Amino acid sequence: MRADLNRNHLVPLTGIRNLGILAHVDAGKTTVTERILYLTGTVHRRGEVHEGTTVTDFDPLERDRGITIFAAAVSCLWDGHRINLIDTPGHVDFSDEVERSLRVLDGAVAVFDAAAGVEPQSESVWRQADRYGVPRIAFVNKMDRAGADLDTAVESIRERLRVIPLVVQLPIGREDGFTGVVDLLRMRALVWETGRDTVTEGPVPDALTDEARRRRRLLEENVAELHPAALEEFCALPEISAPTLAAALRDLTLRGEAVVVLCGSAYRNRGVEPLLDAVVAYLPAPSDVPPVRAAGDDPGQERPADPAAPFAGLVFKVHAAPTGRLTYLRVYSGTIRRGDVVLDAGARRTERIGRILRVQADRHTETDHATAGDIVAVAGIKAARAGATLCAPGAPLVLEPPVTASPVVSVAVEPRGSGDADRLATALARMADEDPSLSVRTDPETGQTVLSGMGELHLEVAVERLRRDHRLDVAVGRPRVAYRETVVRGVSGLLYRHVKQDGGAGQFAHVVLDVEPLDHDAGFEFRSTVTGGRVPREYVGAVEAGCRDALAEGPLGGHPVTGLRVTLTDGATHPKDSSEMAFHTAGRLALREALRAGEMALLEPLAEVTVTVPEDAVGGVLGDLAARRGRVTGSAARAGTVVVTATVPLAELFGYATGLRGRTQGRGSFTSRPAGHAQVTGPVPGLTR
């Protein structure tokens, strides 16, 4: 049903749904979002990605490239419920936008291509949602596409995502003949006629009656295995009633024990109304979500989703709009009003709320307050960054921030104009403030400004923003990846004595360290086996801090060090000259000496690449992957093409898109996602050791 267009319509907490749209690039996330906005009456014209007329992909960079780059929030009403929706990027280079969005969402719709099933980035965003315990439903899109097959897509969900899919619809027609779905709960047909936006409800077509009954029974059996109330009715009655089945599906979704699966074609406007009904029926309201808990030293403190409780909210996005800085905020508890003073709990700094805005992508409607469950933008906050907790000054707490991934690719940027250095520094600082996955540093050897990000496309977009938004003409160096160093063979009993006497208070610290290798993904571990108080506890902490400082630069090439355990086995102090500073210095210098004495290896970042090519081009593509030090891990034939998966060093993927197009006459495509690190086994072009 179309919604009341009054966006200030009051909705109870139980009537709010905060959800994200998640998927692999080109699976149809933005089109699904646009159809939701159209069907709810939020917009009166359907936006199209290929025409550059979408509401959520409003940035010129997104419209030029035809992909979602920045997470965009919109709000709409459906069946008396307010749906706050975030359309997230699908490209792996912008996964940090997905991470920050998932941190503040209560539920999600995962969109899959009916012909491709679960693709690499589909799996990545699914794991991100697992990390935050976000309940999901699945929408198999593009059912009108050649090669579309619901059962194959569902099987890929089962196998690759390790979840139990519960299919609640049966498609009517295949590929171009897809016209609607059979609702298996209520055993009714929903048909969308060509050229019409409304759905027609009717009986199940005779040709599908037997299949629909079979699938309805299979759905009952699967649900009864997982849900006690459904099992009781399954055993006592000929069939499980639609209300009982719906209640069981909701319980299973909220607990994360199964995933409801629907299907449709968003581009043709088929299947979106049932999807909206499923969002309302199965995904949680803020009141269904457990109270948020404080992080760090006070994990027992919590805040319920109660407008009357002390205010607490989490910043998940910052945007430097032409009209000023906007801070996007999820309100978890309490109420905020214009003019309120709030505390940035992590920075221990107060901020004043200027305006409160309900967000409609790049358009905003001012409101006088926001309460628990709302997602809003706030003007007037000057310094809070993404991940900051804003709360009532009289009831402080710090919420767990979203995880920010470490950058893996860097480029040097410098202004071409002699007087633009300060402008470049200001622009880069503003961009890093908006996007925590971008980092900026100055190379101590060359003095160059180094911009680091999540991938080649991420940095291309950042540089384009410098040129377009900040009107800076910049020169860009060749991309470089973030190497690491690890311990292959450690040392035992390394003794280091730090003694310094220069007339005043002296410094004395004596430490003995064992250094041993760990799996390089394990990071760094420190422990102490010192007994008898030979190194006091406060000095042990100083030794650990010194060791952590030493990890910043390894002996092979000054890269960060990972994958090692350091054990403090012995030490000695001086009654006057020992201090935390002395033991901090000793720990740092001792570990540096231990790393030089042991055997080290260089690690490079890897990417899992999925390449889709015509059958006649497979040989050339495989040879090219081998030349790039790639290791093929699998291949599968699919509708006249071959899908090759391989693990390739990230450094070898620069310019791969251009090379692939040349080898396949423009018919090949590829996607990639991070695959950890591995030891460098051969010469790396452009790497200085």
Side-chain angles (χ1 to χ4, degrees):
M1 61 174 287
R2 284 186 180 270
D4 180 355
L5 300 185
N6 177 12
R7 300 296 162 211
N8 291 318
H9 176 67
L10 293 177
V11 175
L13 196 61
T14 56
I16 296 175
R17 299 291 184 272
N18 293 317
L19 68 133
I21 307 293
L22 313 174
H24 185 89
V25 65
D26 289 335
K29 299 181 312 301
T30 300
T31 301
V32 169
T33 304
E34 292 298 317
R35 295 306 183 265
I36 288 175
L37 295 178
Y38 178 71
L39 287 169
T40 57
T42 308
V43 298
H44 300 283
R45 181 180 181 273
R46 290 181 291 185
E48 304 294 352
V49 174
H50 61 277
E51 294 178 359
T53 57
T54 59
V55 172
T56 52
D57 286 353
F58 57 84
D59 191 279
L61 282 172
E62 296 176 306
R63 293 184 170 180
D64 289 347
R65 295 175 180 268
I67 61 172
T68 300
I69 295 174
F70 310 107
V74 292
S75 182
C76 57
L77 296 175
W78 180 259
D79 196 20
H81 293 71
R82 179 183 296 281
I83 298 175
N84 297 319
L85 190 152
I86 297 180
D87 179 24
T88 63
H91 197 284
V92 65
D93 281 18
F94 307 105
S95 60
D96 195 66
E97 288 272 332
V98 183
E99 189 84 24
R100 285 182 279 122
S101 299
L102 281 169
R103 175 62 184 84
V104 299
L105 293 172
D106 300 325
V109 175
V111 179
F112 301 94
D113 186 320
V118 175
E119 298 173 272
Q121 188 60 9
S122 308
E123 191 170 350
S124 296
V125 296
W126 191 273
R127 301 304 175 209
Q128 286 177 293
D130 282 342
R131 184 156 54 243
Y132 294 110
V134 176
R136 281 142 282 173
I137 59 176
F139 182 69
V140 179
N141 191 28
K142 301 188 178 183
M143 288 296 298
D144 58 330
R145 180 182 173 184
D149 188 295
L150 176 62
D151 291 339
T152 301
V154 169
E155 192 57 33
S156 72
I157 292 173
R158 186 192 312 276
E159 292 181 358
R160 298 198 60 176
L161 303 183
R162 298 292 188 267
V163 296
I164 300 174
L166 299 174
V167 184
V168 298
Q169 293 177 339
L170 169 66
I172 300 174
R174 291 179 59 86
E175 301 180 349
D176 283 345
F178 174 73
T179 59
V181 297
V182 174
D183 176 0
L184 296 178
L185 266 71
R186 296 167 182 80
M187 292 302 287
R188 58 178 181 171
L190 304 174
V191 178
W192 290 264
E193 297 180 10
T194 303
R196 296 185 61 184
D197 294 329
T198 56
V199 60
T200 301
E201 182 179 335
V204 177
D206 292 340
L208 293 176
T209 299
D210 291 342
E211 180 64 11
R213 287 175 178 164
R214 185 186 72 80
R215 292 187 180 237
R216 174 57 148 80
R217 191 61 175 175
L218 180 62
L219 174 63
E220 292 176 5
E221 292 172 356
N222 291 335
V223 171
E225 288 180 359
L226 301 170
H227 195 275
L231 176 61
E232 184 177 341
E233 194 165 312
F234 181 80
C235 296
L237 299 173
E239 66 177 24
I240 302 177
S241 66
T244 300
L245 205 51
L249 290 172
R250 176 176 171 79
D251 288 345
L252 295 172
T253 300
L254 297 186
R255 297 200 299 258
E257 296 179 14
V259 176
V260 173
V261 181
L262 302 94
C263 64
S265 168
Y267 180 70
R268 295 197 180 185
N269 214 35
R270 295 171 182 172
V272 181
E273 293 99 324
L275 176 62
L276 282 165
D277 291 337
V279 164
V280 169
Y282 306 129
L283 291 181
S287 54
D288 296 317
V289 178
V292 290
R293 292 180 175 271
D297 297 333
D298 191 15
Q301 190 177 359
E302 61 183 32
R303 294 283 168 83
D306 181 358
F311 164 68
L314 188 71
V315 175
F316 68 94
K317 184 178 176 68
V318 173
H319 177 55
T323 55
R325 190 178 193 263
L326 289 179
T327 302
Y328 290 76
L329 181 71
R330 161 67 190 269
V331 182
Y332 281 102
S333 69
T335 302
I336 51 169
R337 293 179 172 81
R338 180 175 180 174
D340 282 356
V341 174
V342 298
L343 176 69
D344 182 341
R348 301 184 182 278
R349 176 181 52 238
T350 57
E351 300 267 14
R352 184 175 294 275
I353 302 293
R355 295 180 299 148
I356 302 174
L357 307 170
R358 295 207 178 274
V359 183
Q360 208 66 17
D362 59 339
R363 299 185 296 275
H364 311 95
T365 303
E366 193 161 348
T367 184
D368 59 353
H369 72 284
T371 63
D374 281 339
I375 293 178
V376 294
V378 175
I381 304 294
K382 296 180 180 179
R385 301 196 65 187
T389 301
L390 299 182
C391 60
L397 86 163
V398 177
L399 300 176
E400 189 73 34
V403 176
T404 299
S406 301
V408 294
V409 181
S410 302
V411 292
V413 292
E414 56 186 25
R416 295 187 188 274
S418 57
D420 287 340
D422 290 343
R423 288 181 58 217
L424 176 62
T426 301
L428 288 174
R430 183 177 298 176
M431 289 169 56
D433 185 42
E434 293 186 46
D435 184 355
S437 62
L438 282 176
S439 69
V440 183
R441 64 179 177 86
T442 301
D443 189 307
E445 295 183 3
T446 65
Q448 289 180 307
T449 299
V450 178
L451 179 64
S452 303
M454 302 304 298
E456 198 172 5
L457 179 58
H458 190 202
L459 294 181
E460 283 180 15
V461 168
V463 170
E464 184 60 30
R465 290 185 63 200
L466 287 174
R467 292 168 175 160
R468 185 203 66 189
D469 297 346
H470 301 278
R471 302 187 183 281
L472 282 165
D473 187 12
V474 294
V476 182
R478 185 182 184 275
R480 298 176 60 186
V481 302
Y483 292 94
R484 297 179 185 175
E485 299 177 23
T486 192
V487 175
V488 175
R489 177 180 55 79
V491 296
S492 297
L494 184 134
L495 183 152
Y496 189 87
R497 185 186 296 266
H498 174 64
V499 181
K500 184 178 182 182
Q501 192 73 45
D502 52 7
Q507 292 187 28
F508 179 91
H510 174 190
V511 296
V512 180
L513 301 181
D514 288 349
V515 178
E516 57 187 312
L518 293 177
D519 186 282
H520 52 75
D521 291 327
F524 170 71
E525 291 183 12
F526 180 89
R527 64 182 182 179
S528 171
T529 60
V530 177
T531 59
R534 293 178 60 79
V535 180
R537 183 175 301 177
E538 61 270 23
Y539 294 167
V540 171
V543 174
E544 179 179 358
C547 289
R548 291 188 182 277
D549 285 351
L551 299 177
E553 295 184 1
L556 296 182
H559 309 291
V561 180
T562 187
L564 72 161
R565 178 189 290 123
V566 175
T567 304
L568 176 64
T569 61
D570 201 359
T573 62
H574 186 278
K576 292 184 178 180
D577 294 342
S578 290
S579 64
E580 289 189 30
M581 179 183 296
F583 274 89
H584 182 285
T585 302
R588 175 168 54 85
L589 297 179
L591 183 54
R592 284 186 178 179
E593 185 173 308
L595 295 179
R596 288 193 295 268
E599 182 181 346
M600 303 291 292
L602 198 65
L603 301 175
E604 62 181 340
L606 304 178
E608 181 186 287
V609 180
T610 302
V611 190
T612 303
V613 296
E615 292 178 341
D616 58 1
V618 172
V621 168
L622 292 176
D624 182 52
L625 288 172
R628 294 175 184 268
R629 298 188 290 128
R631 179 173 60 87
V632 175
T633 56
S635 64
R638 183 188 295 165
T641 62
V642 176
V643 179
V644 178
T645 56
T647 303
V648 185
L650 184 61
E652 303 286 358
L653 286 180
F654 297 134
Y656 183 63
T658 302
L660 180 64
R661 284 195 295 267
R663 281 183 169 76
T664 61
Q665 290 77 49
R667 296 177 293 166
S669 63
F670 85 102
T671 60
S672 66
R673 63 171 179 168
H677 286 70
Q679 286 191 29
V680 175
T681 56
V684 182
L687 175 63
T688 302
R689 297 202 191 180

